[in-house]
Amino acid sequence: QQNLELPKPLSGKKALVSAGPTYEAIDPVRFIGNHSSGKMGYAIAKRLQELGAEVTLVSGPTALSTPQGVQRVDVTSAKQMLDACEHYFPEADITVMSAAVADYTPEEVAPQKIKKKEEHFSIPLTKTTDILATLGGSKKEDQLLIGFALETNNEIEHAKNKLQRKNLDFIVLNSMQDKGAGFAHDTNKVTVISRNGDIESFELKSKDEVATDICNLVIRELK
Ligand code: CTP
Ligand code: CA
């Protein structure tokens, strides 16, 4: 039987996807993390690969297996994720930053396990570099850059600000309104805002289907 493969819409394109949380070390046994499962980013990486793109997935710590045919680069901290993304970004035609990057990291990592002493204790934190904004700052004309946003109030306005500030082509706003959407769930409800101001709201659906919706926007934009 002959293998009649259809031409794929993203053949010849390189894609970079970030996914999962970052872990910011406090001492040798503790870290600051978040509940991101990585499912959304992995679903996007999988879909981009199925559509013919050559995909690099920069992943924070997750329990997920690597999608078929995707090159996965494992990182732990926000700084490592920044370095990996800056390495692959210049070659990427399509970049989707879906990772839940820590906004703050401990100023210093204690060399030994911190012992409990006083009743109250705090850790000095310092801001991490905004990976998405950094990539946006060096983006070339023919590169597509897509970010995510999680907001609890004035969602559209905040997301539009992020889109502009980070020089994005699309921002995918995660709705907090729906149960079943977001962290650790298999479903998500998103609104996509594009650079030209178009707003498209999608139904609550599986993360695989959301990934397909996002990839369809990418294909439309590349035409
Ligand atoms: N992001 C990033 N690097 C960071 C922080 C965020 O690349 N250090 C990216 C995320 O991957 C996401 C987008 O920026 O695509 C928006 O993340 P979000 O947390 O919603 O926005 P922030 O800019 O961090 O602003 P805030 O948390 O204050 O709302
Ligand atoms: Ca943030």
Side-chain angles (χ1 to χ4, degrees), residues 197-214:
D198 287 352
I199 301 180
E200 197 165 345
S201 289
F202 295 92
E203 297 302 307
L204 180 71
K205 43 178 101 178
S206 75
K207 287 184 178 174
D208 283 333
E209 290 170 310
V210 173
T212 298
D213 289 338
I214 293 169

Side-chain angles (χ1 to χ4, degrees), residues 80-187:
Q80 289 170 356
M81 188 171 275
L82 170 69
D83 291 345
C85 289
E86 282 196 299
H87 179 78
Y88 292 103
F89 181 68
E91 297 294 306
D93 302 294
I94 304 153
T95 298
V96 186
M97 292 285 112
S98 70
V101 186
D103 290 333
Y104 290 92
T105 193
E107 267 172 23
E108 287 171 7
V109 183
Q112 309 295 340
K113 184 185 167 196
I114 299 169
K115 300 300 284 180
K116 66 182 165 201
K117 286 187 233 97
E118 285 87 18
E119 203 55 35
H120 298 276
F121 176 66
S122 55
I123 302 168
L125 302 176
T126 178
K127 240 192 210 168
T128 57
T129 301
D130 191 317
I131 302 169
L132 186 56
T134 303
L135 303 184
S138 71
K139 184 165 74 102
K140 288 175 252 108
E141 190 78 40
D142 56 352
Q143 287 183 298
L144 267 188
L145 183 58
I146 301 169
F148 275 72
L150 185 63
E151 310 290 347
T152 55
N153 62 300
N154 299 339
E155 291 146 293
I156 299 284
E157 193 190 320
H158 281 139
K160 275 185 172 169
N161 284 341
K162 281 179 189 169
L163 176 122
Q164 264 164 18
R165 185 160 49 83
K166 306 190 189 198
N167 191 28
L168 311 180
D169 298 287
F170 294 105
I171 191 152
V172 182
L173 174 60
N174 281 302
S175 170
M176 292 292 291
Q177 315 294 27
D178 261 273
K179 281 194 185 145
F183 278 4
H185 286 276
D186 288 323
T187 51

Side-chain angles (χ1 to χ4, degrees), residues 8-23:
K8 293 177 178 173
L10 297 180
S11 287
K13 299 288 181 192
K14 286 197 170 126
L16 168 63
V17 179
S18 76
T22 65
Y23 286 180

